[in-house]
Amino acid sequence: MTKRYPVLHVENLTMHYLTRKGEVKAVENVSFSLDKGEALGLVGESGCGKTSVALTLLRLLPENARFLGGHVYFFRDSTDEAHARRAVGKPVKILLDGQEHQGRLLEATRSHLVLDASANGRREQLRLNRQDVARLGVDLTALSDEEMRPIRWKGISMIFQAAMNSLNPVYKVGDQIIEALQTHLPISVPEARERVAELFQLVGLDRQLMDRYPHEYSGGMKQRAVIAMALACEPDMIIADEPTTALDVIVQDKILREMRQIQKKLNMSMIYISHDIAVIAEVADKVGVMYGGGLVEFGPSDAIFKNPIHPYTKALMSAFPSIKGEKVKLAALPGEPPDLIKPPSGCRFHPRCPFATEICEREVPEFREHKPSQYAACWNPLSKGDR
Amino acid sequence: MITVALQTQTRTETLVRVEHLRKLFPLRTGVFARARSFIHAVDDVSFEIKRGEIFGLIGESGCGKTTTGSLLVRLLDPTSGHIYMRVPSHPETNSQEEQYVDIATLEGRALKEFRRNVQMIFQDPYESLNPRMTVFDIVAEPLGIHGIGNVYEREERVAELLSLVGLTPPESFLFRYPHELSGGQRQRVAIARAMILNPSFIVADEPTSMLDVSIRTGVMNLMLDLREEFGISYLYITHDLAVARYMCDRIAVMYLGKIVELGPTEEVIQNPLHPYTRALISAVPIPDPAVERQPIEIKGGVSKPIDPPPRCRFYDRCPIATERCAQSDHPPLEDKGRGHFVACYEI
Ligand SMILES: Nc1ncnc2c1ncn2[C@@H]1O[C@H](COP(=O)(O)OP(=O)(O)OP(=O)(O)O)[C@@H](O)[C@H]1O
Ligand SMILES: Nc1ncnc2c1ncn2[C@@H]1O[C@H](COP(=O)(O)OP(=O)(O)O)[C@@H](O)[C@H]1O
Ligand code: SF4
Ligand code: SF4
Ligand SMILES: [Mg+2]
Ligand SMILES: [Mg+2]
């Protein structure tokens, strides 16, 4: 067995928005995991809940959002002092010798982690040697806002959808990143300047551009600056929401390749959010397909592209034209994506699914492993014969 | 039903012929200042569109696609050049007789008659439909403008069109407002409106780029079906090469107001010759992780074509530029065989 090095375990995440028209069931029971150095591509049509998943796990929700349950375990090395301190009293997962322990962390001393692992009426306390423990995951949903703040830049940083348009037009781009750095790290102005210059180099921007204003930047340059900002505090992971959607194809390609290189070089984890399955195919090691607020399929990119299990995954792929391969008539899906205020009963895809049977309308299919590491929520998973 | 084979069938009769079309936009420094500089949005562009053909204009943002499309339906007036189009000689009757007119010069009544024959579909179905009009009013409006039919006839015709574009049953859509429709349904309404006067030519400007994938395919297939059924020609504008490959018989690649390459779609995409087209196509992501691409590097950034120097527009970014390119005018489009045209001295 290869050694796993988890960064994120998301379990049964559920979040709704309250609106005047009703409750928007935007994130329903979403589960996935990500290892260090891995890139996950979250793909789905607009309004299916991709951005909402990111906002929920980073706890950046608007006023009208209701977090309804789930866990987000964020892992770091167990030797990280601040991380361990933050985890005391919280639900945690501990990875030791390839085994996963779960419970509440009672104490973190120099040498030991004490875990209350009681379950199913059985009382159990574990005293684990910190040197032996590989990874400690703390449930972000249990943290206070105060405890969450350092995680947002140094742990998981986010590139928001259309972030390049949110650069402040009246400040020089370099100064905006310097300010962000100084808010989160104890660092002097000259040090911060030096760091920003390094970051500019990393994302392929000329260092002279630090002293220019956003309007002097092209779209691609702005997006690079936004990426530099996300990298500023050396996070373990970046979530990039539609990072290249507004860009022309040549610039998109360059930026995606650069992001991929940086990710490899720094051994960072990434979540790319995109509605474009071709972009996901290029950058992702793992793919999560969302439909109507739920994750319908999740697994290794190669496997999902070659042998999708979920009918929606297959439909999404056969709706995309390509400039390579044989030219085929694309199959259009009937109907429209669901209204998340009144989503269809059972499987939310059933009104449009060519494989729907009677049970699909009645019961929500369980999200489970159908093939090694390939998960899907479907009563009638596709086998090779259906393709 | 459409078949892919039909798309590659050669179509022979020329419906539109564009010759040396130019559109310059003055850059004013103040309200009263005289323009000293011009954006050369469309700069000496020539091409032909056959009857029943889908002709694609592709290229990056700002290269002049929308401007070209707007000129062809006379939403904009050209600075110079000609747009010859076949239009019915007697539009009031059912006579099949046609004449070839230069629509660049049309005015008054003749311009209005011409507008019966051409329509434009816009990118954003949220902006292009009047929010205070019902679907019926929107689709029937061109009939009113041209004084065609009475109320009953119009309602019948609108219902017919709604069924045609897949908004069924039509009764349940007739009196809805745009905000009560999804993006895909709105774009179908826009297509129904564009189709209602039986146009022979439609300019479709990124008609599906705002739509979701599962909806987009339906709208693209609808436009292909309409072409098969009614022999309509389209100028199909898109920045998405995969969409262009799916929709278009021939494509022209634009760069800063110029057509740099033109030919049968499959030929241009599988065998691009111009250094810009090669870079562009090599950058298109492929929806299959098993495919490895070899991107061709070119220097960054498209600028605006403001008073461009007379040499090749691609010179500053071109990886194979020579002294000759620096000294000469922008290269002319040359036939490299099989209807594949390229504007480059080094190819
Ligand atoms: N009304 C106008 N006044 C001044 N400049 C204009 C006007 N319309 C377009 N331009 C300029 O002309 C050039 C071509 O614009 P056009 O809208 O035709 O590009 P496009 O290829 O359709 O781009 P996109 O892919 O972004 O839609 C651009 O440089 C643009 O800024
Ligand atoms: N602040 C909000 N208030 C109410 N509804 C919202 C809000 N943000 C998003 N939604 C709704 O939640 C659903 C998921 O949205 P989102 O996560 O933005 O989707 P995606 O990123 O996949 O396009 C949609 O139905 C959207 O309209
Ligand atoms: S559960 Fe049923 S309706 Fe849903 S995707 Fe599977 S087969 Fe289709
Ligand atoms: S003419 Fe010269 S500069 Fe222009 S594309 Fe060809 S080689 Fe490059
Ligand atoms: Mg989003
Ligand atoms: Mg345009």
Side-chain angles (χ1 to χ4, degrees), chain A residues 243-274:
Chain A
T244 57
T245 297
L247 303 173
D248 274 321
V249 60
I250 291 178
V251 182
Q252 158 171 293
D253 182 47
K254 269 196 187 152
I255 289 188
L256 288 178
R257 273 187 286 140
E258 277 159 19
M259 286 175 81
R260 194 106 177 99
Q261 268 168 19
I262 294 169
Q263 181 216 340
K264 290 254 167 346
K265 188 165 149 196
L266 307 178
N267 198 22
M268 233 178 10
S269 309
M270 287 285 304
I271 298 181
Y272 290 95
I273 296 178
S274 178

Side-chain angles (χ1 to χ4, degrees), chain A residues 44-47 218 247-254 256-257 275-279 281-282 284 301-302 305 312 316 318-337 352, chain B residues 1-2 4 7 60-61 182 184-185 212-218 220-221 225 239 241-243 245-246 248 266 269-270 276 279-289 291 293 295 297-300 317:
Chain A
E45 300 175 79
S46 88
S218 70
L247 303 173
D248 274 321
V249 60
I250 291 178
V251 182
Q252 158 171 293
D253 182 47
K254 269 196 187 152
L256 288 178
R257 273 187 286 140
H275 66 283
D276 187 341
I277 206 160
V279 163
E282 299 256 336
S301 171
D302 296 338
F305 274 90
Y312 177 68
L316 193 61
S318 41
F320 255 89
S322 171
I323 60 163
K324 287 265 156 60
E326 206 183 325
K327 187 168 151 184
V328 289
K329 172 103 195 261
L330 300 176
L333 260 182
E336 310 267 336
R352 307 174 78 190
Chain B
M1 279 302 292
I2 47 147
V4 177
Q7 285 186 36
E60 292 171 289
S61 185
S182 70
Q185 291 170 338
D212 264 316
V213 206
S214 72
I215 305 295
R216 185 174 82 173
T217 313
M220 290 198 297
N221 285 350
D225 287 345
H239 66 278
L241 276 128
V243 167
R245 183 186 184 213
Y246 188 62
C248 305
E266 206 57 18
I269 287 181
Q270 307 310 337
Y276 172 66
L280 188 67
I281 286 172
S282 80
V284 176
I286 308 295
D288 178 355
V291 176
R293 277 185 306 116
E297 291 284 349
I298 54 169
K299 279 171 259 173
R317 296 173 78 188

Side-chain angles (χ1 to χ4, degrees), chain A residues 310-312 347-351 353-357 359-361 363 365 377-381:
Chain A
H310 197 281
Y312 177 68
C347 170
R348 289 184 179 181
F349 188 51
H350 87 255
C353 180
F355 301 94
T357 50
I359 190 173
C360 305
E361 195 180 331
E363 278 179 60
C378 179
W379 291 115
N380 305 307

Side-chain angles (χ1 to χ4, degrees), chain A residues 79-87 130:
Chain A
T79 47
D80 179 335
E81 213 32 73
H83 189 63
R85 235 180 300 119
R86 205 163 31 225
R130 239 169 126 171

Side-chain angles (χ1 to χ4, degrees), chain A residues 41-55:
Chain A
L42 209 51
V43 66
E45 300 175 79
S46 88
C48 72
K50 306 180 295 295
T51 301
S52 297
V53 165
L55 297 180

